[in-house]
Amino acid sequence: MGALTRRQRAWWAVITVLVLVYALFPVAAIFATSFKLPSDLNSGRFLPAQWSWTNYEQILVGNAQGLFLSALRNSIGISLIATAIAVVLATFAAYAIARLDFRGKRLILTTALAVSIFPVISIVTPLFNVWRAVGLYDTWPGLIIPYLSLTLPISIWTLAAFFRQIPWELEQAAQVDGATAWQAFRKAIVPLAAPGVFTTALIAFFIAWNDFVYGISLTSTERARPVPAALAFFTGASQFEEPTGSISAAAVIVTIPVVVLVLLFQRQIVAGLTQGAVKG
Amino acid sequence: MASIVLRDVVKEYGDGFLAVKGVSLEIADGEFVILVGPSGCGKSTILRMIVGLEDITSGDLEIDGTRVNDKAPRDRNLAMVFQNYALYPHLTVFENIAFPMRLAKGRFTDEEIRERVTRAAERLELTEHLERKPGNLSGGQRQRVAMGRAIVREADAFLFDEPLSNLDAKLRGQMRTEIARLQRRLGTTTVYVTHDQTEAMTLGDRVAVLRRGELQQVASPRALYEQPTNLFVAGFIGSPPMNFLPGRVEGDVLHLPVADVPLDERLRAAVGDRSLVIVGIRPEHVEDATLLDDARADAGVRFETDVDVTEWLGAELYAYIPFETAPEVASKLEELDRDLDGEGMRSQVVVALDAESRVRDGDRAELWFDPARLLVFDPESGVNLTRDDEAAARIDERNEELRRASLKRAQERDRADGEASPAQERAAS
């Protein structure tokens, strides 16, 4: 691809700005709202008349604290555990799919695909009944298990695609160079597989973190209710006040881990996408 | 430094496919041996068995007199260059070359590693690329990094698995001479797998020609060219390949589709009481009769023929002469063609004439060949009936002498360089 002409560059700039505004405007609006005082909510202006931490105080140390902090704890715990299990299982599955030739390989991949396209809303009611019968309703495992059904298929697919690109000959090269089987795996294959695993873990975490349907349907108390579901239960400081400010503040707080993770693993994600085989 | 001995080595895959059918081969210390053959002949499998990446079904593999069948690759101390180089993409060129030494924990200090890598990089002209990642290098540079990784740890032998097949033609020629120079200087036993007969002829002290998992002939390139044991070797070695023609024997005359050859003593002995043989003639042994002086022309066989197509290449001129093959040998020649990865094209004779020749497409040309250059093969078994074992042995002996001499020369020169350079450094400082 040659250098862009000035005209092309101008067009690209315009398009980029439009997309950015379109994507970031709601975030900016929520951010601005989270700093507004309750009296300011209906002022019709974008920026708060007076920047205030009231909403944050309310959900972190005020009377909404119990609701929000426990939900935050649930969200982090459940998402992390679901991610960890999904990544470990998917790594094993994808390794087998990429490297071994066995019967039923296609079946596994098709099943994974079928599970991931199955509408969540259609199984949530039966699951609600089953979970109440077996005592998983409103518990962490009660959410982790359905989250696995969301995160596992996509993890298997991403990792299998990634593992297929790894030049496995490197393992043999390392063995000839004097490595044991374990050293060959650790020094030649793991560094190449790690970016893919990171990327997959990130995707899986976001899926679990963002879920709302399971979160609201399979929980009833603060024992297991995750943040997206908990936001619906916010009330204002008094019953005459709208909880919009607190919800916005909570939304900003739950966005932070996502942004931090992306910034932290940006290099791995990019490396995972660009670093392929040497020559095959 | 080590010798490698294969004794009746067999490889049978799980599905019962016999990839290597009992190959025996002795590779002397410091020798450069080529395994060559068309695709699927088992050459790479043999290499992978030597290095230990493939189990040996039966037979013995000895390195320096010790049986190593059951040793892991890491315990065999061999270095291998893979077809696609197998560089570690996450490591820099320096770390790629240093990798084998880093694995041998405690054997090398950081200082030693740096010194050896630097020396290998100088030898391969990689010094300015040491901090780059393999992904940013050109094909030839990657190839040299792979070689650097092989030479840096002073392995007992080098194994090359079609190392040049991913390079373009020009680079391939350069790297070919580079590998030859390196091997001479280091004097390390080398086994080199290729399907390219040019590489086989130019690089090898000895060449092992394989076909469907069986060794056909192991000899010096010259002996392979002049004294092939059978049709397959004759057809595989040489470019353009040898022409095979049906030859009908009637009395004292051998009738070829393009010419009649009087049977002399040598041909008579080879033909025996057969009435049909396969006759082989190399393209470069046929010449344009009009360019020869009379004395020479009379000593050989002159014949007139219709030339179909010509290709002028500057240094020589290829002329193609179609002919009708005899049905009795057609199936044998087709089978041979398949074995040689051929496409089952029309039967034609290719001749490489002098570039001065005026022969052009569609001409009627007068050509000439020396019957002493003809090879005669048995139409059933494909055995070369004109093969002179004594001559073949003489060629191989002479070749071995030359090899030792050139190895010695290269190492003396290397030693002289090695002594000269520290002196120069001292003088410079």
Side-chain angles (χ1 to χ4, degrees), chain A residues 157-177:
Chain A
W157 274 85
T158 336
L159 276 176
F162 192 85
F163 283 176
R164 280 203 194 98
Q165 290 177 0
I166 291 180
W168 295 100
E169 213 174 19
L170 290 181
E171 208 175 34
Q172 300 179 342
Q175 282 181 26
V176 175
D177 281 342

Side-chain angles (χ1 to χ4, degrees), chain B residues 29-200:
Chain B
D29 182 16
E31 201 176 16
F32 199 139
V33 169
I34 311 276
L35 302 179
V36 70
S39 49
C41 69
K43 53 193 191 295
S44 287
T45 311
I46 294 178
L47 196 75
R48 293 168 63 81
M49 285 196 287
I50 295 176
V51 80
L53 293 172
E54 206 82 68
D55 287 334
I56 298 171
T57 312
S58 75
D60 294 316
L61 170 67
E62 289 176 7
I63 296 175
D64 246 359
T66 325
R67 189 173 183 272
V68 295
N69 283 39
D70 304 318
K71 280 197 183 172
R74 60 191 295 256
D75 299 321
R76 299 191 187 188
N77 196 26
L78 305 173
M80 179 153 167
V81 175
F82 289 79
Q83 182 171 5
N84 59 7
Y85 320 139
L87 303 179
Y88 309 110
H90 58 291
L91 299 178
T92 61
V93 169
F94 184 97
E95 285 302 326
N96 259 287
I97 298 177
F99 190 79
M101 293 189 287
R102 297 246 190 254
L103 282 174
K105 276 205 188 70
R107 268 193 42 214
F108 301 96
T109 62
D110 277 358
E111 194 58 39
E112 273 175 309
I113 292 179
R114 194 166 328 113
E115 193 206 305
R116 280 172 179 237
V117 173
T118 316
R119 207 169 50 207
E122 270 169 24
R123 185 168 272 174
L124 296 163
E125 289 169 33
L126 284 169
T127 308
E128 67 231 66
H129 306 298
L130 279 178
E131 293 313 314
R132 295 171 76 191
K133 292 274 177 71
N136 304 327
L137 300 179
S138 72
Q141 289 164 342
R142 287 179 199 179
Q143 163 69 49
R144 294 208 297 271
V145 176
M147 277 171 48
R149 198 171 63 190
I151 63 172
V152 78
R153 61 179 233 252
E154 291 169 5
D156 285 339
F158 295 152
L159 308 172
F160 290 89
D161 188 4
E162 309 215 12
L164 306 182
S165 57
N166 278 337
L167 302 179
D168 60 48
K170 187 177 170 218
L171 208 52
R172 206 178 302 158
Q174 287 174 359
M175 287 310 293
R176 202 170 63 211
T177 51
E178 198 51 49
I179 290 176
R181 191 173 300 134
L182 200 69
Q183 200 271 342
R184 286 280 172 266
R185 285 182 71 163
L186 300 172
T188 309
T189 314
T190 303
V191 186
Y192 186 108
V193 162
T194 180
H195 64 268
D196 181 305
Q197 54 108 5
T198 315
E199 279 171 35

Side-chain angles (χ1 to χ4, degrees), chain B residues 11-17 57:
Chain B
K11 175 70 193 182
E12 186 179 350
Y13 282 105
D15 56 2
F17 177 70
T57 312

